[in-house]
Amino acid sequence: MSLPRRFVVEADGGSRGNPGPAGYGAVVIDPDTGETLAETAEYIGVATNNVAEYRGLVAGLRAVGALLADGPVGTGVQVRVRMDSKLVVEQMSGRWKIKHPDMKPLAAEAAAVLPGADISYEWIPRERNKHADRLANEAMDAGRRGDRWDPSASTAALDTPRDPVAADPVTPQVGWGSAPDLGAPATLLLLRHGETALTPQKRFSGSGGTDPALSPAGLEQAERAATAFAALGTVAEIVSSPLRRCRETAGAVAARLGLEVRIEDGLRETDFGAWEGLTFGEVGERYGDDLDAWLASPDAAPTGGGESFTEVAERVSAARDALVTRYAGRTVLVVTHVTPIKTLVRLALGAPPEALFRMELSAASVSSVAYYADGNASVRLLNDTSHLR
């Protein structure tokens, strides 16, 4: 068989727990014929989603290298990598910095697999990455049984028929006037929960503390938000952080709209470790060096086993991707906390981590981000409190 000099690699990875039992899958495709040239998948033990996704990328690129083993890779080989992980695509394209220690060696490994090849990266919605997703799930299922993934038993290719046009790289659009009609975006209305007793005191209140309820003022704010969303009339679904203050805020809106509340664990607030319940000044007095490090680097965690902003961004990104896929074309009310909302806005803007300290989010405020089918996002609203007046 005469091999092409152009390849499409579709890769994916998943973790049932994040971190939890994880696996990856990758497929190499001839973009001209749609033919599957190679498949690979593996159960990798306990890992995060992002690690599994990077492992899938490396495996897909290695599969191309194996196909070209009898000839030089070199100039003239084009590889279009398509993944539904915005993080991996943006980092490998050089637009986002790679700071997480688990990601750096994997990214370097991926960059070194095919020296001399022309490699480009494209984000695709999850529903267009079903082949690699099914391979990853087959690998995880095999790992759960104590087996290795068996390519002869795979049905991923049979379950995801394709044609040459679908596999061919998309020609980039240039300029606003030539942009394609991408249809209605998935719009996330980001509602910060109402006040708790800790809110006016500006105390750290994350997912590792006392899980406070809404105060009387917070309950009133939730009711005012419910009235505003009922008047808006566009909310189709409600998703909430598992923490009590968010569930109570979401419940007030759900009761007014006649909707159910779906819990998304990835939307919980940062675990602030030993800082939970303390004011900023108290943290500075007791843990000054740790606070300085936290303010200087997104990889630094609060004292006592809390979460870094990098770790929070990873799980919030995974939750965002799941919501955008699940609610494509619909408007969803997402009831969550300061850090997840600021993180979603920061990522949509492509802003650096220090942008988190340059946004103000009042209790029960509303922000909004729209996500389009091409992977682009548009921030439409930030910290709106007009419904509370």
Side-chain angles (χ1 to χ4, degrees), residues 285-307:
E285 291 174 0
R286 301 182 193 184
Y287 308 105
D289 291 342
D290 290 350
L291 180 62
D292 289 342
W294 182 72
L295 293 171
S297 171
D299 295 326
T303 310
E307 288 181 290

Side-chain angles (χ1 to χ4, degrees), residues 294-320:
W294 182 72
L295 293 171
S297 171
D299 295 326
T303 310
E307 288 181 290
S308 70
F309 284 139
T310 297
E311 292 171 321
V312 174
E314 288 177 1
R315 64 171 166 81
V316 168
S317 295
R320 173 205 61 198

Side-chain angles (χ1 to χ4, degrees), residues 48-51 53-54 57 83-100 103 107 121 123 310 313-315 317-318 320-321 346-347:
T48 65
N49 282 322
N50 294 144
V51 166
E53 288 163 345
Y54 261 110
L57 167 63
M83 301 181 68
D84 58 55
S85 170
K86 186 76 169 175
L87 177 81
V88 175
V89 168
E90 294 298 315
Q91 288 182 342
M92 292 304 299
S93 298
R95 292 185 289 268
W96 291 3
K97 291 182 179 179
I98 306 171
K99 294 187 175 181
H100 196 284
M103 304 297 120
Y121 291 85
W123 179 88
T310 297
E314 288 177 1
R315 64 171 166 81
S317 295
R320 173 205 61 198
D321 292 347
R346 177 184 76 77
L347 294 175

Side-chain angles (χ1 to χ4, degrees), residues 188-209:
L188 304 188
L189 297 176
L190 307 171
L191 174 63
R192 185 190 171 193
H193 61 80
E195 285 188 9
T196 72
L198 300 179
T199 307
Q201 301 174 32
K202 297 187 181 298
R203 294 183 179 275
F204 283 94
S205 181
S207 58

Side-chain angles (χ1 to χ4, degrees), residues 176 185-188 345 348-349 368-372 375-381:
W176 288 99
T187 301
L188 304 188
V345 171
L349 294 173
S368 177
V369 183
Y371 298 89
Y372 291 88
N376 287 317
S378 173
V379 176
R380 296 181 170 182
L381 195 65

Side-chain angles (χ1 to χ4, degrees), residues 240-242 263-269 312 315-320 336 340:
S240 173
S241 155
I263 301 301
E264 174 57 61
D265 185 65
L267 297 174
R268 68 187 185 277
E269 182 57 289
V312 174
R315 64 171 166 81
V316 168
S317 295
R320 173 205 61 198
T336 181

Side-chain angles (χ1 to χ4, degrees), residues 82-386:
R82 293 149 49 106
M83 301 181 68
D84 58 55
S85 170
K86 186 76 169 175
L87 177 81
V88 175
V89 168
E90 294 298 315
Q91 288 182 342
M92 292 304 299
S93 298
R95 292 185 289 268
W96 291 3
K97 291 182 179 179
I98 306 171
K99 294 187 175 181
H100 196 284
D102 292 341
M103 304 297 120
K104 287 182 178 179
L106 289 169
E109 185 178 358
V113 172
L114 296 173
D118 179 9
I119 303 176
S120 58
Y121 291 85
E122 174 191 353
W123 179 88
I124 56 175
R126 186 173 299 274
E127 60 267 22
R128 290 174 55 196
N129 201 28
K130 289 182 178 179
H131 193 154
D133 176 72
R134 290 178 187 271
L135 288 169
N137 277 285
E138 287 181 352
M140 285 185 278
D141 290 341
R144 184 177 57 191
R145 298 189 302 267
D147 299 330
R148 294 177 62 87
W149 176 74
D150 181 2
S152 66
S154 174
T155 62
L158 298 176
D159 293 337
T160 52
R162 66 175 70 249
D163 56 58
V165 176
D168 207 25
V170 176
T171 301
Q173 301 291 327
V174 180
W176 288 99
S178 59
D181 182 4
L182 298 173
T187 301
L188 304 188
L189 297 176
L190 307 171
L191 174 63
R192 185 190 171 193
H193 61 80
E195 285 188 9
T196 72
L198 300 179
T199 307
Q201 301 174 32
K202 297 187 181 298
R203 294 183 179 275
F204 283 94
S205 181
S207 58
T210 58
D211 196 13
L214 293 180
S215 65
L219 291 170
E220 173 63 23
Q221 292 168 336
E223 290 298 332
R224 288 179 178 270
T227 300
F229 286 116
L232 184 64
T234 59
V235 174
E237 306 281 349
I238 301 177
V239 179
S240 173
S241 155
L243 298 184
R244 182 177 178 181
R245 52 198 182 271
C246 287
R247 288 188 284 106
E248 290 180 342
T249 304
V253 182
R256 190 71 61 89
L257 272 58
L259 297 173
E260 297 293 325
V261 177
R262 181 167 185 162
I263 301 301
E264 174 57 61
D265 185 65
L267 297 174
R268 68 187 185 277
E269 182 57 289
T270 307
D271 183 343
F272 291 112
W275 303 353
E276 295 280 357
L278 302 179
T279 65
F280 193 88
E282 290 169 341
V283 171
E285 291 174 0
R286 301 182 193 184
Y287 308 105
D289 291 342
D290 290 350
L291 180 62
D292 289 342
W294 182 72
L295 293 171
S297 171
D299 295 326
T303 310
E307 288 181 290
S308 70
F309 284 139
T310 297
E311 292 171 321
V312 174
E314 288 177 1
R315 64 171 166 81
V316 168
S317 295
R320 173 205 61 198
D321 292 347
L323 293 175
V324 169
T325 299
R326 186 184 306 144
Y327 301 119
R330 287 183 281 174
T331 298
V332 183
L333 177 63
V334 176
V335 186
T336 181
H337 310 262
V338 168
T339 310
I341 294 174
K342 287 184 176 183
T343 297
L344 289 168
V345 171
R346 177 184 76 77
L347 294 175
L349 294 173
E354 53 265 31
L356 293 175
F357 299 113
R358 293 174 172 82
M359 287 183 259
E360 177 71 23
L361 286 179
S362 303
S365 64
V366 178
S367 303
S368 177
V369 183
Y371 298 89
Y372 291 88
D374 64 351
N376 287 317
S378 173
V379 176
R380 296 181 170 182
L381 195 65
L382 181 68
N383 197 38
D384 179 24
T385 58
S386 60

